[in-house]
Amino acid sequence: MRGKLPTLFFATALFFCAEISQSNAQAPAGPTQGDLILRAAETASHTDPAKWDWPVAASDDVRKSVIEGHHSAEELRNIFTTLAWRSGPRWPSDGTKAASPSRASLNAPGFVEPARGFRGLEAFYGSNGYGGVSDRIDKVDILLAHGDRVFVSWIIEGRHTGTLFGFPGDGKLIDVRESSITRYKDGKMLDLYFIADDLALYTQAGGKVSFPDKPDKPGKP
């Protein structure tokens, strides 16, 4: 038995080394998109917004309001994070590539997302606004920031190519509004609430709205 112990120990060590090597091979090398956003937002918090490399989701009106807004460093950091996050894969736009598209590092410990906007449709219809819309672009046209909170509202533009509310994709344009309010802690998201125009998305997907208790024309039952 004593002679077998060194052999067993050596075999076990080789096994763990192989596991660690495989794990390292699978892990992305370098910063994730979330990491890049955090770094850029920290820099932006100490930079005049007029000199920012603006995330593409921000409209001209939003840029103007932030530049003229006299925001604190905390607010500027949170604003930049929000706009970069809303830009999705279009950020950064300078050719820099993240090792992973993950934005999990933006979430503070205890992060909660109690209201999920169009993603909440999945629980009711088995498909949602994100999966059914391709070539999506978010255009943020309203932004308010105060202290640890940022409110933004944007227009989602894309094409109906997947299932929405049970309606198959038809390639038509989608143009609907969604909004969110985010609370930050130390530059990371602590909680995030969404509200979306589900009715507009439903009708653009092909749904019809009727009121059976109302006459079609005035004066008729």
Side-chain angles (χ1 to χ4, degrees):
M1 181 64 181
R2 291 182 179 178
K4 294 182 179 180
L5 285 176
T7 302
L8 180 61
F9 176 80
F10 183 70
T12 303
L14 284 178
F15 172 79
F16 279 111
C17 286
E19 288 291 309
I20 293 173
S21 176
Q22 183 177 7
S23 175
N24 289 338
Q26 294 175 349
T32 66
Q33 189 187 38
D35 297 331
L36 293 177
I37 290 175
L38 289 174
R39 295 177 188 177
E42 179 61 29
T43 300
S45 70
H46 303 290
T47 306
D48 181 353
K51 300 178 181 178
W52 277 6
D53 182 11
W54 280 87
V56 295
S59 67
D60 290 340
D61 287 342
V62 164
R63 297 184 188 195
K64 184 175 185 292
S65 70
V66 174
I67 290 172
E68 299 176 353
H70 305 290
H71 294 285
S72 68
E74 175 191 15
E75 290 166 346
L76 290 175
R77 179 172 62 180
N78 298 342
I79 289 169
F80 192 95
T81 298
T82 300
L83 292 173
W85 190 76
R86 284 264 55 87
S87 299
R90 297 187 297 154
W91 190 95
S93 58
D94 61 359
T96 302
K97 296 296 182 181
S100 163
S102 172
R103 292 178 287 181
S105 59
L106 294 177
N107 299 340
F111 170 79
V112 292
E113 189 180 347
R116 306 186 67 190
F118 286 137
R119 275 186 290 176
L121 299 176
E122 187 172 13
F124 298 98
Y125 300 99
S127 60
N128 60 74
Y130 297 112
V133 178
S134 62
D135 301 324
R136 172 178 167 168
I137 295 176
D138 292 357
K139 296 182 177 180
V140 178
D141 54 0
I142 301 173
L143 184 149
L144 300 172
H146 181 71
D148 61 354
R149 288 172 171 81
V150 178
F151 169 84
V152 286
S153 187
W154 61 93
I155 297 295
I156 295 175
E157 292 185 356
R159 290 193 176 276
H160 178 196
T161 56
T163 302
L164 287 175
F165 295 97
F167 297 104
D170 55 12
K172 291 182 179 178
L173 291 175
I174 293 293
D175 185 321
V176 293
R177 181 168 292 280
E178 190 171 21
S179 307
S180 72
I181 184 168
T182 309
R183 184 161 63 103
Y184 286 87
K185 182 179 180 180
D186 299 326
K188 294 188 176 184
M189 298 179 180
L190 188 57
D191 50 52
L192 176 60
Y193 294 82
F194 283 100
I195 185 170
D197 191 347
D198 295 354
L199 179 59
L201 183 63
Y202 173 72
T203 55
Q204 290 181 33
K208 304 296 181 182
V209 179
S210 62
F211 300 92
D213 60 327
K214 302 293 183 182
D216 293 335
K217 294 182 179 179
K220 289 188 177 183

